[in-house]
Amino acid sequence: MSLSTFLWSTVVCLTGLGAGHGDDDDVPPPRVVVRCHPDASIRGTEVQLRDLATVETDDPELTARLLQAGFGTRPAPGYARVLTRQDILLRLTREGLSMARLKITGADRIALRPAVTHVTTEQQAEVAESVLRGALREIEAQGDVEIELATGLHTLAVPPGRYSMDVTGRLSGPLSHSAAAVELQVRVDDEAYRVVRVPFRIRRYQQILVANRAIKKGEPLGLENLMMKRIESSVGASPWLTDLREVAGKVASNDLRQGQRMTLSSASSPAVIHRGDIVHLVSSSGRIRVTTRALALSDGAVDQRIQVRNLTANRVVQAVVHGQGLVVVPNAAVGRRR
């Protein structure tokens, strides 16, 4: 007989404990009766007496306290652990109970096995995407955004918990233009059990104006030759035009091919002076203002600089278009013709 077995037998003989042995009608019934189960499925992260046995006392508060007595962490998934009556006896005496008040019955050995539930990849993705969409809400108001998982997820085997098991998430670090990550936390009985980082790729899109056919320089721009197209946006400010109102009343500043994206340089105000027009050329020197006739050498819109030939002096000068038929040598103080 081993020493531990001998000691256990001695304890049983002295206290009247054990699996139905040593009972005597002259011994008063114990106040605490623990009935051990042959096996136990552990739902929480820690092993408690409530998993291993039923407890009967004449004190409800004592019963509640004993049921919460801990026996360490639960076995890992795929493993089992064994506890004995002696383990329970020694643990309960640490709770301040005398052995004379205890009676332990039922199974001599208790096999502990972890209960397991699964957090599927779909559940993880749903929580993570919800968190990321919330963070992107302000950006999505300015343009549409697509997100996709950057890596595969794996089903998580976790304890179902005694009371609850849930999965929460939060954004992990700042958003970049093309990437983000969400930190998922698995909580068992309101305590953190496991953390999983879920990375995402982000694609941002915008609607821009493009030419729906070839457009000649000077041709008016509008619904008849422009359309909206969805493109993936790049980092930084976009050079593309995104609203038809930006080209209202304007013409193509150069020849445009079909599908070409529109920028500010693609559109210009229509010319009010055309090459070959005879215009009034105004120049000033102090209080003296001189008006003469000139020949326009190129087309020009209001505020655009063009070259004209002064027909009186027969020389080419650069002037600013102030209106139809009127150009002004720079620094000349004269109002535009209405």
Side-chain angles (χ1 to χ4, degrees):
M1 177 183 297
S2 66
L3 178 60
S4 61
T5 304
F6 173 78
L7 291 175
W8 174 244
S9 301
T10 302
V11 170
V12 171
C13 292
L14 291 175
T15 63
L17 299 174
H21 300 293
D23 291 339
D24 193 316
D25 294 336
D26 296 331
V27 178
R31 292 189 58 201
V32 178
V33 178
V34 178
R35 293 186 174 85
C36 300
H37 308 312
D39 54 66
S41 178
I42 312 302
R43 294 182 58 85
T45 57
E46 299 289 327
V47 180
Q48 295 183 356
L49 183 58
R50 70 176 73 247
D51 302 314
L52 313 175
T54 58
V55 176
E56 298 176 4
T57 74
D58 54 7
D59 184 345
E61 292 184 2
L62 176 61
T63 300
R65 180 165 64 87
L66 294 179
L67 288 174
Q68 295 178 27
F71 290 82
T73 58
R74 76 180 201 141
Y79 291 83
R81 195 167 106 223
V82 174
L83 290 176
T84 65
R85 287 189 184 185
Q86 186 177 8
D87 295 323
I88 295 175
L89 172 67
L90 295 176
R91 178 66 183 87
L92 293 185
T93 56
R94 292 202 301 271
E95 290 291 323
L97 295 176
S98 66
M99 290 186 292
R101 300 181 63 195
L102 289 170
K103 180 178 181 180
I104 303 180
T105 65
D108 292 323
R109 294 163 61 86
I110 306 168
L112 281 59
R113 294 179 176 82
V116 174
T117 189
H118 294 91
V119 182
T120 65
T121 56
E122 291 79 8
Q123 290 172 315
Q124 296 173 60
E126 182 179 358
V127 174
E129 288 181 10
S130 176
V131 171
L132 183 54
R133 285 293 183 191
L136 290 170
R137 189 170 293 119
E138 183 176 340
I139 298 174
E140 288 180 318
Q142 303 170 3
D144 61 317
V145 179
E146 290 183 0
I147 61 175
E148 65 175 344
L149 291 170
T151 60
L153 299 176
H154 302 283
T155 298
L156 304 178
V158 301
R162 302 181 191 282
Y163 315 106
S164 65
M165 188 285 294
D166 60 357
V167 181
T168 60
R170 66 176 183 177
L171 198 65
S172 177
L175 285 170
S176 74
H177 184 84
S178 59
V182 174
E183 183 181 273
L184 294 182
Q185 186 179 80
V186 180
R187 299 185 64 83
V188 177
D189 294 333
D190 291 330
E191 292 187 2
Y193 176 77
R194 185 168 178 181
V195 173
V196 178
R197 188 174 183 273
V198 182
F200 285 91
R201 283 187 289 268
I202 300 176
R203 289 190 174 91
R204 310 186 188 207
Y205 295 86
Q206 63 181 144
Q207 298 284 341
I208 67 167
L209 286 172
V210 300
N212 62 15
R213 62 175 178 82
I215 303 173
K216 294 293 186 180
K217 178 180 178 179
E219 190 175 347
L221 299 173
L223 287 172
E224 68 279 3
N225 50 25
L226 297 178
M227 66 179 183
M228 303 299 295
K229 182 179 180 180
R230 181 176 183 260
I231 66 163
E232 186 171 355
S233 60
S234 56
V235 180
S238 170
W240 317 120
L241 299 184
T242 60
D243 195 325
L244 275 170
R245 288 173 292 186
E246 296 177 283
V247 296
K250 295 187 176 183
V251 298
S253 56
N254 45 56
D255 290 343
L256 303 174
R257 67 182 183 279
Q258 184 176 2
Q260 184 169 336
R261 300 174 182 183
M262 300 294 294
T263 66
L264 286 173
S265 62
S266 303
S268 61
S269 299
V272 294
I273 290 177
H274 299 277
R275 181 179 180 180
D277 287 352
I278 301 299
V279 299
H280 295 285
L281 173 65
V282 178
S283 60
S284 298
S285 177
R287 294 186 176 183
I288 300 174
R289 185 176 70 173
V290 177
T291 302
T292 186
R293 299 172 73 215
L295 175 69
L297 300 180
S298 61
D299 296 350
V302 173
D303 291 331
Q304 187 176 357
R305 290 172 179 257
I306 64 171
Q307 288 187 327
V308 298
R309 180 179 297 278
N310 186 326
L311 296 180
T312 300
N314 193 29
R315 64 187 180 92
V316 175
V317 297
Q318 191 174 70
V320 177
V321 177
H322 272 229
Q324 188 172 6
L326 175 64
V327 297
V328 178
V329 175
N331 300 324
V334 63
R336 296 178 184 174
R337 176 175 291 180
R338 297 294 183 182

